[in-house]
Amino acid sequence: SLCSWLQPFGLIRAIAALDVLVDSYELTDEHRALIRANVYQSHSCAAMLDESRSFHGEVYDDEPPTPLGGLPLLVLSQGDEPKAIEAFGLSAEAAREQRAVWDVLQEELTALSARGQRRVATESGHVIQLEQPQLVIDAIVGMVRDLRENGS
């Protein structure tokens, strides 16, 4: 919350407060620079706060999610070995436990659609689009091709 108040004034960038977040991912220097440029935009902390609140609300919502019928759905999931993130106080064991829960949630999400597909990026963590971009491209192209051939 504090981050979202201070970021528009440039204070978050000035003290490099989000570098620990960016550095928690194994990225090339080029990708790290791009991610830093993104997370230090004036609205990023507010967006992350909104995402966190929304996610928390979904996790603790008593109502089941609404089925999606036949809506095409593609779920891409990270698949590399979960790792400890010391900067966030996350042990390797806790990371594995979180991944197990996350995998169940990803399967449940996929099952919401009769046309749901899940692909696990076995060589990627959270940023699949940077770590395995071709997998993302192939998955999207494959889904579009399937929709064109078999109708929407």
Side-chain angles (χ1 to χ4, degrees):
S1 182
L2 180 61
C3 181
S4 65
W5 285 59
L6 297 176
Q7 193 165 28
F9 301 106
L11 296 173
I12 298 302
R13 180 186 290 267
I15 63 172
L18 299 177
D19 281 6
V20 68
L21 173 66
V22 176
D23 293 340
S24 70
Y25 298 112
E26 294 178 21
L27 302 169
T28 65
D29 288 342
E30 178 185 5
H31 286 142
R32 187 170 284 108
L34 291 170
I35 297 293
R36 273 198 180 98
N38 187 38
V39 299
Y40 283 117
Q41 292 181 36
S42 63
H43 66 280
S44 295
C45 284
M48 286 187 275
L49 180 61
D50 288 346
E51 179 183 12
S52 177
R53 286 178 176 159
S54 176
F55 182 77
H56 185 269
E58 288 295 323
V59 168
Y60 294 101
D61 189 356
D62 291 334
E63 295 295 318
T66 304
L68 301 174
L71 183 71
L73 174 66
L74 176 62
V75 177
L76 297 178
S77 303
Q78 63 187 24
D80 69 349
E81 182 64 29
K83 299 173 187 72
I85 305 175
E86 294 176 17
F88 296 112
L90 184 69
S91 69
E93 180 181 346
R96 285 189 293 278
E97 289 173 3
Q98 284 183 355
R99 174 66 63 78
V101 171
W102 191 252
D103 283 340
V104 169
L105 293 172
Q106 297 282 281
E107 288 294 336
E108 289 176 356
L109 175 62
T110 305
L112 288 176
S113 171
R115 296 175 71 182
Q117 300 175 42
R118 180 178 183 219
R119 299 219 177 110
V120 178
T122 57
E123 299 172 23
S124 292
H126 186 69
V127 286
I128 301 168
Q129 69 276 18
L130 298 179
E131 296 171 333
Q132 286 186 271
Q134 194 60 50
L135 183 138
V136 176
I137 293 166
D138 292 346
I140 293 169
V141 168
M143 176 174 257
V144 170
R145 185 176 294 124
D146 182 57
L147 288 171
R148 285 181 176 162
E149 291 172 1
N150 300 314
S152 54

